[in-house]
Structure formats: C-alpha cells, structure tokens
Amino acid sequence: MKKLINRPENFVRESLEGMMLAHRDLIRINYEPSFVYRADVPPQGKVAMISGGGSGHEPMHSGFVGHGMLDAACPGGIFTSPTPDQMLAAAKQVNRGAGILYLVKNYSGDVMNFEIAIELAHSQGIRAVNILIDDDIAIKDRLYTQGRRGVGTTVLAEKISGAAAEQGYNLHQLADLCRKVNLSGKSMGVALSSCTVPERGIPTFTLGDDEIELGIGIHGEQGKEKVPMKSGDEITDILANSIINDPNYCRIVREWDDKIGKWVDLELLNKPFEKGDRLLAYVNSMGGTSIAELYLVYRKLAEICELEGLEIVRNLIGPYMTSLDMQGCSITLLKLDDEMIRLWDAPVKTPSLRWGI
Amino acid sequence: MKKLINRPENFVRESLEGMMLAHRDLIRINYEPSFVYRADVPPQGKVAMISGGGSGHEPMHSGFVGHGMLDAACPGGIFTSPTPDQMLAAAKQVNRGAGILYLVKNYSGDVMNFEIAIELAHSQGIRAVNILIDDDIAIKDRLYTQGRRGVGTTVLAEKISGAAAEQGYNLHQLADLCRKVNLSGKSMGVALSSCTVPERGIPTFTLGDDEIELGIGIHGEQGKEKVPMKSGDEITDILANSIINDPNYCRIVREWDDKIGKWVDLELLNKPFEKGDRLLAYVNSMGGTSIAELYLVYRKLAEICELEGLEIVRNLIGPYMTSLDMQGCSITLLKLDDEMIRLWDAPVKTPSLRWGI
C-alpha cells in the first residue's frame, strides 16, 4: 500500500486538521468527540442539518459543511460508523433552537447510532429527527444493511435540504422535503478496482485483470455481480438502464416522530421514472477514476436519458462520494420538481461544493 | 488496463462531447480542428486568453474555459501537443480585436507549435503573444524540455490572468502580469504509481512496491530520483523544502514582441521565497490520490511554511492538473502581491473552478 499518510491510525485526524487549516473561513473542528461544524453561526431558529458516517468517502460529509448545506458532520474511522456521542455533541454545538435533522445513510451501524443519538438529544431537550437515505438499487438485505444501501442521493439531499434549512424551513417541512428527495433518487455503482483501507494495508476485495464488479458498495462490500470488463458505454448502459427500469420499491423505515415523541414505522415507496421527468444526473468518481472518464460516462448517460424521454436539467460530475482509492464510478438519477430545482440552484459555500457566493 | 473508455483513439473526443453536454451554459466545442471555447461572447476589446496542451491532465485546460479564466483551450491527444491549426482556429473564434495571449507550458512540442501559431496569427492580422510557464524546480533540460517544465503554476496563471483579461487589461499589461505570475511560482511533484496511456494500455514507467519517484513529470516522464516510500509528512517535507530552498533560477526565454513584430530573447529570473512573503499554496492530485490525502499534505505544508515565516493567504487543493490515473501529488507555492490576490479572488465560472458567481 502506498498512500500519502503517516501512521494509519492518525490518518482521519491529520486529514481533518489539514482541511480545517485550509478552510478556516468555513469550518471548525471539535476533537473528542470529533465533529466538523460551520465557522459562521446561523441565525437563531434555523433547523440544523447534521450528517455523518465512516471516513474514506471524502469530500462527503465534512467537505459539505458550510452555508447552504450541512451545519455539522460526524466522521467515523475509515468505513466505520461515528458514535452517538459525536452526534449528540455536534447537535449541542449547532442547535439554534429549531431542532436537528440527522441525515443517515442506510447501514446498520449508522442507523443504530443515529437512533441512539436522537433519543439522547430528546432526553436533553433537543428536538431531532432522522431521515434515511436508501437509494442504491443494486442489492437488498446484506450483512451490513437491511433494505437498500445509502449512496449518491445523500450528497444531493444534503445540498437540497441544506438550502431549504437556510431558507427557513421548519423541522417537519425539512423532514418532508428530505424524505421526498430520497424517494426521488436512485443510484448504482461499478468498481474497476478494489480499495485499500490504510489500517489494513491490503485491498478489501479482489478483481481479476479483466473483471469489474457491478453494484459495488461504497465500502468495497459485495455488489450484484462480477462480470468481464466492458467498454465505458456498455457499463454506462447497464448502470443507467438498471436505474431507469428499477420497479416500484416499497419498504418500512423507522423514523422518530417528533410530535408524539415515539418511533414510528413508515411505509415508503419509490416509483420508476416516467417519460417527461426532469432529472438531476450525478456521475460520481469512486476516487481513482478521472473526470475525463466521468464525462465519457455522462455522454452516454445523456444519450440514454434522451432516448427514454427523460430530461436532464441539472448535473453534478466529479469525486464527491468516494471509496478511498477505488477506481470506478456511480450514477445517481434524481427526479426533480420546481422546489428541488430552486433549492439545488441556491447559493452554497462549503470546502467542496460552492456556487452563487 | 481498466478504464471507463470505448476505443482508445476516441477517448479524448468522447470525453469532450460529454463535457460539453454537461456544461452547455459555459462552453462550446469545435471539432476539426478541435478547441473548446466560451459559450458567452466577451465584449469587443477584451484580450483573449488561450491555453492548450496534451490531454490526460483534466480538468486542465478545457475545464478552465469560461468567465474569468480562459477564452479557449486546445486539447491535443493524450500527452501530445495540440497543433498550430487548432491554436489559430481558436484565436480566430475568440479574438475580440484586442489580441490573444497564448499561455504555454514549457515542453518542446508545445513551445514549437504555439510559436508557429503566433506567426500564423500575425500573418492573418491577429495580434498574439506567448507567455511560457516553466515552474517545475525538480529537473532541467531533458529529452522533451529545454529548461524547466511547466506544471502547477499554469492553473494559477490561467485564473489570475483570466481575471485580469476580464477586467480590461490590454495585451501588454496582461503579458507582464502573466510573466510575473510565472516568475512567482515554483512546483514539484511526486509519483506513488505510474499512469497508463489508453492507446498504449500498459503503465508508462515502473515503480517498485516500496518505491516512489520524486520530481515526476506530469506525463510520467523521468523525475529527479526514485527513493524508498516515505510517510506523507516526509514526502511533503522534501517537496516543500526543495521549493522553498530553490536558489536563483535564471534563463533565457523566447517571446514574440508584438511592438516590433519579432521574436526576442528575454532573460528571466526566479528568486527564492523570503520571510514575510504571502503565498498561495496549491496541493494538486495527480489523479489517483484522494482529497483526504491532499489535506494531510496541506497540514504539513502549512506547518513548514509557518516555520519558515511564509504566510499562506490563499490555497487550492484538489485534482486540477492530473496525469491520467497516476497516484501522487504536486505542491506549488506562488508568491502573491495585492494585485494577484485581488485577481485570484475575482469571480470565475468554468466547469471545474467556480466562485463568486
């Protein structure tokens, strides 16, 4: 393993330190427990958006802390969930009296720890709700996840909901919006290579010289299938058509009901895309794939969407949710409405996403 | 070789097509000869900034076309200079009557072809000058370069000069500024892995499992030396101190003198940094290295600069000038003055660099 690191066990902290030195105008970091939060103090009465998860996916989530996106991010170890005390401490730091929306990717460890954090927050008089992101259509019910995994839609939900929070949405309006974003997005990824966790020092899984893995997870966990290497257009075709042809997906998710102070089970439904839908197309690098290759994927994706009568009206292309040094990409399609477009276009100023300011 | 491409010989074109589809609001592409140019038409009397070079370094240069940066970029094949007809056609497209500044990285092929383009432009009544970027302190006089190679300062010069052109600098003022930027910047890179040119299909060079190459070129061409793998801090220390302790560097460069219509030889001098200098620190990924690692490098770089009495007042961190899938990074330090800071902060809106708009 060759990486620009010192001792593997210090990697996450030293990288965060560098990030803060580079972006003192935007972020602050608390250590023990560790969380990244906005340098500016939003007005009293603004709902706070907090996300978090294992490290190794940079710039997600810490790179998205700032005006118009997250109020705080809780980084765990590499590919390891953060702990409830990080989430509670972050909530205390950024709470402006209007409650916390915890945005949670659907992995068992994250789900459990954020649920504990919500109960802790409530016991200390801080309102908090959880919205789950479970947009990966590739697989369902595996060792580390019940239902579908949370992937690319997370970044889009952070941007759109972050803008809404900035514009004064209250906690329930924000939860409704964020749930809508999750129900409007579908993703699938592909790995051309494995990734190497610094503390382990060897690749997480193996792929043959002429083999790729469709439906790969963002931690290198098992995807849908290993298949022989294909052209960029063929790979794009498989990912895009799997997403576009994904049937109704119905599941029960557990959310904290802030009004009655209890956990409730909600039945949620993703519907397939329909001709005439307006989309945000997000082509994401897994870390080791160049932007030139992402544009080649986008070219084919745009062609497929046009053939299907789907109109791409916004896009995001780059390494925003990575898996360390993995080569490969993921595609996320998000069905937009006027509200989401307006919020997507709203100003944002974070270390890794910035426009309009 | 596993990459998200179709036929290697179509990679550059298909990637550009995807880029244009993704950024129709910002750029247009001409094919045969191939160049990328701004979608908006700047006012008559604005000097046009054009750069170009081999592909494989994306987002440089095409990703920097737009308001406040380049008016056009000429992409060659992978690691291959563009041709004079591309440069001339781009000049004709974006000329607004005030002349063209061609920004040229110091590689023999690029230098020669841009010189031919200037003579062609002049023969057709278009004023044009060339400014050379030669900021790589690692090596001097090799097979593909006389003097030092042009690397990271190119991106900074495109941003700073692009802002100045937008603000109405005339051709001579802009050439003076751009030359000053080049004389204020020094860079050095390191490779942790080789890169693979698609049409070749095998790594350009070899590195042992425990070996890195200091002073690597952006095409994978030979650097200063191969050394055993070191920690991120040690590597940063070598790069930063090599840059900071680089002595006076004097050389003769050939520029077109627009006033007398002749080539002239200018003697140029880079001086070492001095205590109290204000710097822009630019930590660049070679393509396959994550932003988390770049922040770890930045952390050590900030510490070294502080010890040396150098004040980092601006920074840029990310994959802006890549070498296909190469793992590694480069550091560029640029001495700033008030004029350069003002221009760096000016609004920019391109596919890959955007702020203030």
Side-chain angles (χ1 to χ4, degrees):
Chain A
M1 177 191 62
K2 287 192 278 187
K3 287 179 191 284
L4 293 168
I5 61 172
N6 299 308
R7 293 165 63 124
E9 63 270 30
N10 298 335
F11 176 43
V12 172
R13 176 162 180 155
E14 290 177 344
S15 176
L16 285 174
E17 286 174 358
M19 189 186 183
M20 203 217 16
L21 288 171
H23 304 288
R24 281 185 226 248
D25 55 329
L26 297 177
I27 58 167
R28 297 278 179 275
I29 300 185
N30 188 79
Y31 299 103
E32 295 169 26
S34 143
F35 60 90
V36 178
Y37 62 103
R38 282 169 68 160
D40 63 323
V41 179
Q44 196 65 19
K46 178 191 170 295
V47 178
M49 292 272 309
I50 299 180
S51 193
S55 294
H57 306 299
E58 290 71 23
M60 184 186 80
H61 301 272
S62 303
F64 301 138
V65 173
H67 181 93
M69 217 157 162
L70 297 178
D71 291 271
C74 305
I78 299 285
F79 295 172
T80 308
S81 175
T83 53
D85 64 314
Q86 290 174 261
M87 300 159 185
L88 180 66
K92 286 182 182 172
Q93 175 67 45
V94 300
N95 181 28
R96 305 296 293 151
I100 309 290
L101 190 145
Y102 283 121
L103 194 67
V104 185
K105 298 193 303 300
N106 190 33
Y107 298 96
S108 302
D110 289 335
V111 169
M112 186 182 70
N113 287 340
F114 273 107
E115 287 186 358
I116 296 170
I118 283 180
E119 295 186 358
L120 289 171
H122 276 273
S123 74
Q124 303 194 20
I126 299 173
R127 294 172 61 198
V129 300
N130 61 323
I131 293 291
L132 214 65
I133 303 291
D134 60 347
D135 63 318
D136 187 343
I137 62 148
I139 64 155
K140 211 186 134 193
D141 297 332
R142 287 287 168 86
L143 186 57
Y144 301 108
T145 333
Q146 284 204 313
R148 290 178 168 180
R149 304 173 297 204
V151 288
T153 300
T154 314
V155 176
L156 311 181
E158 290 178 1
K159 168 64 185 87
I160 291 170
S161 311
E166 211 71 60
Q167 293 178 14
Y169 279 46
N170 70 32
L171 189 57
H172 299 134
Q173 291 167 329
L174 199 64
D176 288 344
L177 169 69
C178 203
R179 203 181 300 111
K180 178 172 79 174
V181 173
N182 182 44
L183 290 176
S184 306
K186 298 184 181 197
S187 303
M188 186 167 162
V190 62
L192 273 54
S193 78
S194 182
C195 54
T196 301
V197 176
E199 293 198 84
R200 199 142 173 260
I202 54 167
T204 301
F205 61 104
T206 52
L207 279 176
D209 283 347
D210 192 39
E211 195 178 44
I212 60 176
E213 184 151 348
L214 294 169
I216 190 74
I218 58 170
H219 313 94
E221 71 272 34
Q222 202 187 338
K224 196 172 174 187
E225 55 177 336
K226 294 184 182 182
V227 297
M229 181 64 195
K230 300 176 191 310
S231 73
D233 280 0
E234 287 167 328
I235 291 171
T236 306
D237 201 59
I238 293 170
L239 298 183
N241 281 303
S242 301
I243 292 169
I244 291 169
N245 299 318
D246 183 58
N248 279 343
Y249 171 58
C250 189
R251 73 286 200 187
I252 307 290
V253 305
R254 194 163 178 246
E255 283 187 19
W256 181 262
D257 187 325
D258 173 62
K259 287 173 192 153
I260 58 171
K262 278 188 185 163
W263 291 104
V264 293
D265 286 336
L266 294 186
E267 186 174 309
L268 298 182
L269 176 70
N270 274 76
K271 288 186 287 188
F273 297 107
E274 288 174 358
K275 214 175 267 291
D277 280 353
R278 292 172 296 169
L279 302 184
L280 188 158
Y282 164 29
V283 180
N284 176 62
S285 168
M286 292 297 197
T289 285
S290 70
I291 195 159
E293 289 167 78
L294 300 184
Y295 281 132
L296 187 135
V297 168
Y298 183 82
R299 169 184 169 274
K300 184 67 183 174
L301 178 62
E303 183 189 305
I304 294 167
C305 286
E306 194 174 339
L307 277 174
E308 295 286 338
L310 302 167
E311 189 190 1
I312 301 177
V313 296
R314 294 291 184 278
N315 64 66
L316 182 70
I317 300 167
Y320 294 105
M321 175 192 254
T322 61
S323 302
L324 295 168
D325 52 347
M326 186 189 287
Q327 293 187 318
C329 77
S330 62
I331 292 175
T332 298
L333 296 180
L334 178 73
K335 177 180 170 171
L336 294 168
D337 59 18
D338 291 342
E339 179 189 33
M340 286 194 265
I341 292 174
R342 180 177 57 77
L343 294 165
W344 178 259
D345 290 344
V348 61
K349 190 172 181 182
T350 70
S352 290
L353 212 60
R354 180 171 172 182
W355 57 71
I357 299 181
Chain B
M1 177 190 62
K2 287 192 278 188
K3 287 179 190 285
L4 293 168
I5 62 171
N6 300 309
R7 293 165 64 127
E9 61 271 30
N10 298 335
F11 176 43
V12 171
R13 178 164 179 154
E14 290 175 346
S15 176
L16 286 174
E17 286 173 359
M19 189 185 184
M20 202 213 22
L21 288 171
H23 304 289
R24 280 184 226 250
D25 54 327
L26 297 177
I27 58 168
R28 297 278 179 276
I29 301 185
N30 189 79
Y31 299 103
E32 296 169 27
S34 144
F35 60 89
V36 178
Y37 62 103
R38 283 169 68 160
D40 63 323
V41 179
Q44 196 66 20
K46 177 190 171 296
V47 178
M49 291 271 309
I50 299 180
S51 193
S55 294
H57 306 298
E58 290 72 22
M60 183 187 78
H61 301 273
S62 303
F64 302 138
V65 172
H67 181 93
M69 217 159 163
L70 297 178
D71 291 271
C74 304
I78 299 286
F79 295 172
T80 309
S81 174
T83 52
D85 63 314
Q86 290 174 262
M87 301 158 185
L88 180 66
K92 286 181 181 172
Q93 176 68 45
V94 300
N95 181 29
R96 306 296 294 152
I100 310 290
L101 189 145
Y102 283 121
L103 194 68
V104 185
K105 298 194 301 300
N106 191 32
Y107 299 97
S108 301
D110 289 336
V111 169
M112 186 181 70
N113 287 339
F114 273 107
E115 288 186 357
I116 295 170
I118 283 180
E119 295 186 0
L120 288 171
H122 276 275
S123 73
Q124 302 193 20
I126 299 173
R127 295 172 61 197
V129 299
N130 60 323
I131 293 291
L132 214 65
I133 303 291
D134 60 346
D135 62 317
D136 187 342
I137 63 147
I139 63 155
K140 210 186 134 192
D141 297 332
R142 288 287 168 85
L143 186 58
Y144 300 106
T145 333
Q146 284 203 314
R148 289 178 169 180
R149 302 172 300 203
V151 288
T153 300
T154 314
V155 175
L156 312 181
E158 290 179 359
K159 168 65 185 86
I160 290 171
S161 310
E166 211 71 60
Q167 293 179 14
Y169 279 46
N170 70 32
L171 188 57
H172 299 133
Q173 291 168 328
L174 199 64
D176 288 344
L177 169 68
C178 202
R179 202 182 301 109
K180 178 173 79 175
V181 174
N182 182 44
L183 291 176
S184 306
K186 299 184 181 198
S187 303
M188 187 167 161
V190 62
L192 272 55
S193 79
S194 182
C195 54
T196 301
V197 176
E199 293 197 83
R200 201 145 170 259
I202 54 167
T204 301
F205 61 103
T206 52
L207 278 176
D209 282 348
D210 192 41
E211 195 179 45
I212 61 176
E213 184 152 349
L214 294 169
I216 190 73
I218 58 169
H219 313 92
E221 71 271 34
Q222 202 187 339
K224 195 172 174 187
E225 56 177 336
K226 294 185 183 181
V227 298
M229 181 64 195
K230 300 175 191 308
S231 73
D233 280 0
E234 288 168 327
I235 290 171
T236 306
D237 201 60
I238 293 170
L239 299 183
N241 281 302
S242 300
I243 292 169
I244 291 169
N245 298 317
D246 183 59
N248 279 343
Y249 172 58
C250 189
R251 73 286 201 190
I252 306 291
V253 304
R254 195 164 178 245
E255 283 187 18
W256 181 261
D257 188 325
D258 173 62
K259 287 174 191 151
I260 57 172
K262 277 187 184 162
W263 291 103
V264 294
D265 286 336
L266 294 186
E267 186 174 310
L268 298 182
L269 175 70
N270 275 76
K271 288 186 287 188
F273 297 106
E274 288 175 357
K275 215 176 268 288
D277 280 353
R278 292 172 296 168
L279 303 184
L280 188 158
Y282 164 29
V283 180
N284 175 62
S285 168
M286 291 297 197
T289 285
S290 70
I291 195 158
E293 289 167 78
L294 300 185
Y295 281 131
L296 186 135
V297 169
Y298 183 83
R299 170 183 168 275
K300 183 68 183 174
L301 177 62
E303 182 188 307
I304 295 167
C305 285
E306 195 175 338
L307 277 173
E308 295 286 338
L310 302 167
E311 188 190 1
I312 300 178
V313 296
R314 295 291 184 277
N315 64 66
L316 182 69
I317 299 168
Y320 294 105
M321 176 193 251
T322 60
S323 302
L324 296 168
D325 51 346
M326 186 188 288
Q327 293 187 319
C329 77
S330 63
I331 291 175
T332 299
L333 295 180
L334 177 73
K335 176 179 171 172
L336 294 169
D337 59 18
D338 290 341
E339 178 188 34
M340 285 194 264
I341 292 175
R342 180 176 57 77
L343 293 165
W344 178 260
D345 290 343
V348 62
K349 190 174 180 181
T350 70
S352 290
L353 212 61
R354 180 171 174 183
W355 57 71
I357 299 182

